[in-house]
Amino acid sequence: MLSFGGCYSNHLHALAYAGYHYGIATIGVVRGEMPSPLNPTLQDAESWGMKLHFVSRLEYRNKTHPDFTQALYEQFGDFELIPEGGSSPEAVLSCANIWSFLAESDFDYALCPLGTGATAAGLLLGKPRDCHLVVVPALQISAQEARSILSQHLTEMSVSMPEGLTVLDGSSPYGKVNAELASLWYKNPNLWDPLYTLKMYQAFCRLAMSDTFPHGSRVALFHTGGMQGLRGCKSRIERLAPEFQGPLPL
């Protein structure tokens, strides 16, 4: 199985462990030059048997081009290709089942972050009829662009866009943490990854303070993982947090 990701990719980390657990050979195409030494995320992946293949950022941008894929087949032989982030129709269907694992599902609102969009699309597809989903991009894109990502996932499955959806603008670039986010993370260090869930939590706090949710509403916040990102920016968080002087949206 072959897939793609950055040096702190949660997806590649999880795929490597799944391959180790189930005895499946895995290949990770990693964006950027090989760090020396390997960072802890890549060390884990390699220790679980994943073969790491580093490509330049320019090459990585062409990862969906047929010529790039053909070159990978020529180098590695036959493999099952998994899109970046595991973002496939199968993944969307799996994420739709997340609701069935909840002890309760009687929520008025639910919030989740968006990266490649498979998790958010699945939660949208499987959500209870009366639950309103709020999607918070983890990258700096408009609400319209984020909605298009969700729409593309559903279109690939021949499913129309369900009702009960709000998509917010992405306020900061992917992988970036500012002083406010860093300070907010210190209020909840054991709960939030800094690149996905923390941005969603920041949006939730602001929405709550603006009375978006009626009194007595039941709100679910989906923690989608992302803990490898903390390995890559913990020192930056520690440096930035003291710089924030304003009030936090709590």
Side-chain angles (χ1 to χ4, degrees), residues 72-144:
L72 292 175
Y73 279 118
E74 291 174 359
Q75 181 169 354
F76 298 111
D78 192 24
F79 54 76
E80 180 75 19
L81 190 148
I82 302 174
E84 183 180 35
S87 193
S88 66
E90 293 82 3
V92 172
L93 283 175
S94 294
C95 290
N97 290 327
I98 290 175
W99 294 96
S100 67
F101 291 95
L102 303 183
E104 301 179 39
S105 59
D106 185 22
F107 295 107
D108 302 296
Y109 296 88
L111 283 80
C112 75
L114 175 142
T116 58
T119 302
L123 290 173
L124 177 62
L125 185 63
K127 75 176 182 66
R129 184 180 185 88
D130 295 332
C131 180
H132 192 96
L133 182 68
V134 180
V135 174
V136 183
L139 53 162
Q140 195 169 34
I141 58 175
S142 68
Q144 183 177 359

Side-chain angles (χ1 to χ4, degrees), residues 1-4 11-12 15 24-29 50 69 72-73 76-84 86 88-91:
M1 303 183 77
L2 179 146
S3 196
F4 310 86
H11 169 60
L12 290 185
L15 178 63
I24 300 171
T26 57
I27 303 166
V29 179
M50 173 173 277
T69 305
L72 292 175
Y73 279 118
F76 298 111
D78 192 24
F79 54 76
E80 180 75 19
L81 190 148
I82 302 174
E84 183 180 35
S88 66
E90 293 82 3

